[in-house]
Amino acid sequence: MKEKKLYKSRDFIVVLDFGAQYNQLIARRVRECNVYCEILPPETPLSKLREINPSGIILSGGPASVYYPDSPTVNKGLFRLGIPVLGICYGMQLMAKVLGGEVIGAEKREYGRTEMHVHKTGVLFEGLNPQLICWMSHGDIVKSPPPGFDAVASTINTPVSAMSHRSGKFHAVQFHPEVVHTPWGIEIIRNFLYKVCGCEGTWTMGNYIDFIVKDIRRAVKNQKVVCALSGGVDSAATAALVHRAVPKQLSCIFVDHGLLRAGEAEQVVRTFKHNFKMRLLHVDARERFLRKLKGVTDPEEKRRIIGNEFIRVFEEFSEQFGDVKFLAQGTLYPDVIESMTVGTGKSATIKTHHNVGGLPERMRFQLIEPLRFLFKDEVRMLCEKMKMPEEIVWRQPFPGPGLAIRIIGEVTEERLRILKEADAIILEEFRNANLMKEIWQAFAVLPAVRTVGVMGDQRSYDYPIVLRAVTSQDGMTADWAKLPQELLERLSNRIVNEVEGVNRLLYDISSKPPSTIEWE
Ligand code: XMP
């Protein structure tokens, strides 16, 4: 991967990533304490760490055992840099092993909520109750801490659940302070940041926006930038930032493929063209997309057609802006981390993102990715700070191919109408029930079957609508939402009565896995 430029901040924490599923959460928690934090690979050379000179280093958890021959490790010199270190789970075992302690396989694997007793409060547990609930997930344990360390906490199965060096610079915990199941875990992290590393909590979204804006100006100079608006929060935030930095050099394209949810296309235009006064080219390509989708029923074929057509439209219309050097894209930090661990050595490619993926080779844009250090919820904070409309800030994730993959079978104008109307009722009712922030996604699906019903005295033979509503952290796994019965009842009444062509409402009670969130 291309060398990643680091954001310079007075408080700066580095998380060395040993591959545990919770690692991004560590960075999130640190940032919640108003301290800037980045995740780096464990191979990061000491010279680089010396140069960055972070306020502290966190060694994350990871799936390996320190005794596997190829398990990731750190150079012992890390502990001679004069930088405080906190080890978490695997990070603790690694710290113990590297500094001369003993790590063994536990007799009993410990997983889940456990009660822990703190024997020696010290700086890490300052202000906390000595009996604490914590979340464990490990097979190995530290049998004896390295020289100079004291065991400071224990659980029934893990006699050394936390250890601290007498210098006060090195600490380690076997449990996961970053997960919500360790209710006071954030306090431990805060103690490490403020009391051990001397951080001051100066990182705020306001000053981060100033940094991004200056960074864009520095990169773009007097060149032109193009940005594809999709209606989603990431592209909206990207455009807003570039606009703040170089308003006259930015042109946005909004390709209206007709597959957005009801009212969203109008809202994009209203917000960006009229409120933000951006140069926005609104391409009404609805007919074009529908024509291409005629007779197509295979989901992957739909995706391919929509992706290709998007590129064609983008290409055709972006020429109007003259000689454009930069493409602004809403890549988020989790994607950057992913490419850091799996894409080492590869040059930056344009990621498949809201259909922009796969732009032809000859459209050689340089990328600017102003959100590349941010997590999704931070992007929302940023949008709120930039006073963007609530409906855009809290818009649910939405697939690039849009409603086409929520219409099972052929996409026709009539079927789009049915889906959009039912979907709009769902959104309205979820908003009224104040559920928008709790639910990851809630939407309508239109299956390719029709069923018999009775309306008034008439027999009907119409489509059912499927309501899909899930809770999730990141879309990788999801639970079906346990919705209030009254809401289900209201939705059923409204959709069947108000949407012509629908005579039934079904609720999808499947979780992911084994199902997926979308139906196609
Ligand atoms: P699944 O259906 O795989 O969805 O459980 C996980 C998340 O990804 C979104 N999704 C897509 N996003 N293009 C996208 O940009 C797609 O083709 C696509 N398919 C699914 C989905 O909405 C959910 O948030």
Side-chain angles (χ1 to χ4, degrees):
M1 197 188 88
K2 244 177 23 183
E3 180 83 351
K4 192 162 67 82
K5 195 166 144 261
L6 295 165
Y7 164 58
K8 293 279 184 295
S9 167
R10 181 143 36 113
D11 296 338
F12 192 122
I13 295 292
V14 164
V15 176
L16 291 184
D17 179 3
F18 293 99
Q21 55 179 340
Y22 304 126
N23 291 349
Q24 291 185 19
L25 262 185
I26 301 177
R28 280 294 299 114
R29 296 287 173 258
V30 171
R31 291 185 189 187
E32 266 167 41
C33 299
N34 296 109
V35 171
Y36 190 69
C37 176
E38 287 209 17
I39 299 177
L40 295 179
E43 321 75 77
T44 306
L46 287 185
S47 56
K48 169 112 190 240
L49 289 174
R50 209 174 282 121
E51 184 196 324
I52 302 169
N53 194 21
S55 326
I57 296 174
I58 298 179
L59 309 178
S60 84
S65 163
V66 289
Y67 287 115
Y68 292 167
D70 294 329
S71 56
T73 185
V74 288
N75 188 313
K76 195 172 177 181
L78 181 92
F79 299 94
R80 289 195 288 264
L81 294 174
I83 301 170
V85 183
L86 172 67
I88 295 177
C89 196
Y90 181 81
M92 167 163 171
Q93 292 149 17
L94 198 60
M95 188 187 281
K97 177 166 178 253
V98 169
L99 294 177
E102 191 185 354
V103 179
I104 56 165
E107 273 173 27
K108 260 196 183 160
R109 223 183 154 267
E110 203 171 21
Y111 184 81
R113 288 161 78 88
T114 312
E115 190 165 304
M116 187 178 72
H117 183 71
V118 181
H119 314 285
K120 229 178 161 178
T121 302
V123 70
L124 206 57
F125 292 93
E126 206 174 295
L128 293 167
N129 194 317
Q131 297 291 355
L132 296 162
I133 295 294
C134 64
W135 180 264
M136 291 281 193
S137 170
H138 62 105
D140 290 350
I141 54 170
V142 172
K143 183 169 176 229
S144 38
F149 278 80
D150 292 318
V152 297
S154 61
T155 68
I156 288 189
N157 296 317
T158 312
V160 187
S161 297
M163 63 183 195
S164 292
H165 191 261
R166 283 166 216 147
S167 68
K169 270 200 165 352
F170 309 131
H171 302 268
V173 292
Q174 184 54 71
F175 56 90
H176 288 274
E178 70 277 21
V179 303
V180 288
H181 315 286
T182 302
W184 39 269
I186 186 98
E187 300 306 325
I188 296 249
I189 293 174
R190 192 173 281 123
N191 281 346
F192 176 69
L193 301 175
Y194 284 64
K195 298 193 170 132
V196 179
C197 305
C199 293
E200 291 171 4
T202 51
W203 189 71
T204 63
M205 196 43 83
N207 58 34
Y208 191 62
I209 290 175
D210 294 341
F211 159 79
I212 301 177
V213 166
K214 282 189 197 132
D215 198 44
I216 295 171
R217 283 194 192 123
R218 207 169 22 238
V220 167
K221 300 196 175 65
N222 58 359
Q223 300 291 336
K224 290 184 182 168
V225 189
V226 69
C227 177
L229 279 174
S230 70
V233 64
D234 303 342
S235 71
T238 303
L241 284 165
V242 178
H243 186 252
R244 185 174 281 193
V246 288
K248 297 211 171 93
Q249 291 151 248
L250 172 70
S251 304
C252 293
I253 296 188
F254 169 52
V255 179
D256 182 0
H257 49 26
L259 304 166
L260 288 185
R261 307 176 94 169
E264 287 189 348
E266 296 74 14
Q267 197 193 32
V268 171
V269 176
R270 203 169 49 240
T271 305
F272 293 98
K273 194 163 182 160
H274 301 306
N275 300 5
F276 276 85
K277 309 256 179 276
M278 286 184 196
R279 185 184 303 124
L280 171 65
L281 184 59
H282 175 193
V283 184
D284 182 354
R286 287 177 294 179
E287 257 192 65
R288 215 169 140 160
F289 278 83
L290 262 187
R291 223 176 21 246
K292 290 273 172 191
L293 288 169
K294 196 166 176 359
V296 180
T297 54
D298 178 74
E300 288 312 303
E301 180 71 1
K302 286 182 191 171
R303 282 191 168 83
R304 201 185 53 74
I305 290 172
I306 294 166
N308 287 346
E309 197 55 18
F310 183 92
I311 291 161
R312 225 160 276 142
V313 176
F314 188 87
E315 228 184 327
E316 252 173 69
F317 286 87
S318 64
E319 275 173 11
Q320 296 186 10
F321 302 134
D323 185 21
V324 176
K325 279 269 176 318
F326 292 91
L327 172 70
Q329 199 179 250
T331 314
L332 300 187
Y333 196 43
D335 301 325
V336 174
I337 301 169
E338 206 172 294
S339 68
M340 192 164 74
T341 45
V342 299
T344 316
K346 286 189 196 147
S347 60
T349 50
I350 297 176
K351 216 180 121 50
T352 307
H353 185 265
H354 298 301
N355 293 330
V356 184
L359 286 180
E361 272 290 291
R362 64 197 158 74
M363 294 190 81
R364 279 200 170 272
F365 292 115
Q366 283 182 49
L367 284 185
I368 30 175
E369 299 173 314
L371 311 179
R372 68 189 180 283
F373 294 126
L374 298 180
F375 293 100
K376 187 87 175 184
D377 50 344
E378 292 176 324
V379 172
R380 292 205 162 112
M381 275 161 60
L382 181 145
C383 289
E384 280 183 335
K385 195 91 198 163
M386 295 186 81
K387 306 220 172 341
M388 310 228 319
E390 169 110 337
E391 301 89 273
I392 290 190
V393 179
W394 287 100
R395 190 159 285 172
Q396 294 169 356
F398 188 72
L403 301 181
I405 59 160
R406 293 179 180 171
I407 294 178
I408 314 307
E410 188 182 0
V411 181
T412 64
E413 209 163 335
E414 173 63 359
R415 301 191 77 211
L416 253 176
R417 178 201 57 83
I418 292 176
L419 182 73
K420 279 190 181 183
E421 286 182 16
D423 191 65
I425 294 173
I426 291 174
L427 275 193
E428 190 186 322
E429 290 297 335
F430 271 71
R431 273 195 199 111
N432 291 345
N434 240 334
L435 282 171
M436 291 303 276
K437 294 186 185 174
E438 267 168 59
I439 296 285
W440 172 260
Q441 280 171 295
F443 55 86
V445 177
L446 179 63
V449 290
R450 287 199 279 175
T451 70
V452 173
V454 49
M455 289 222 183
D457 291 331
Q458 297 283 323
R459 175 187 186 273
S460 65
Y461 187 56
D462 284 333
Y463 290 111
I465 280 286
V466 177
L467 165 66
R468 184 71 168 134
V470 295
T471 54
S472 173
Q473 293 288 324
D474 51 14
M476 304 297 286
T477 59
D479 277 335
W480 62 277
K482 315 296 179 290
L483 298 174
Q485 287 209 0
E486 311 80 68
L487 175 64
L488 292 171
E489 196 171 339
R490 205 162 38 249
L491 283 170
S492 169
N493 276 337
R494 283 199 61 192
I495 290 174
V496 173
N497 284 311
E498 294 176 31
V499 184
E500 206 184 316
V502 176
N503 63 2
R504 224 172 261 279
L505 179 70
L506 314 177
Y507 186 31
D508 179 349
I509 53 167
S510 346
S511 293
K512 173 183 178 177
S515 304
T516 53
I517 296 176
E518 303 288 347
W519 269 42
E520 286 201 330

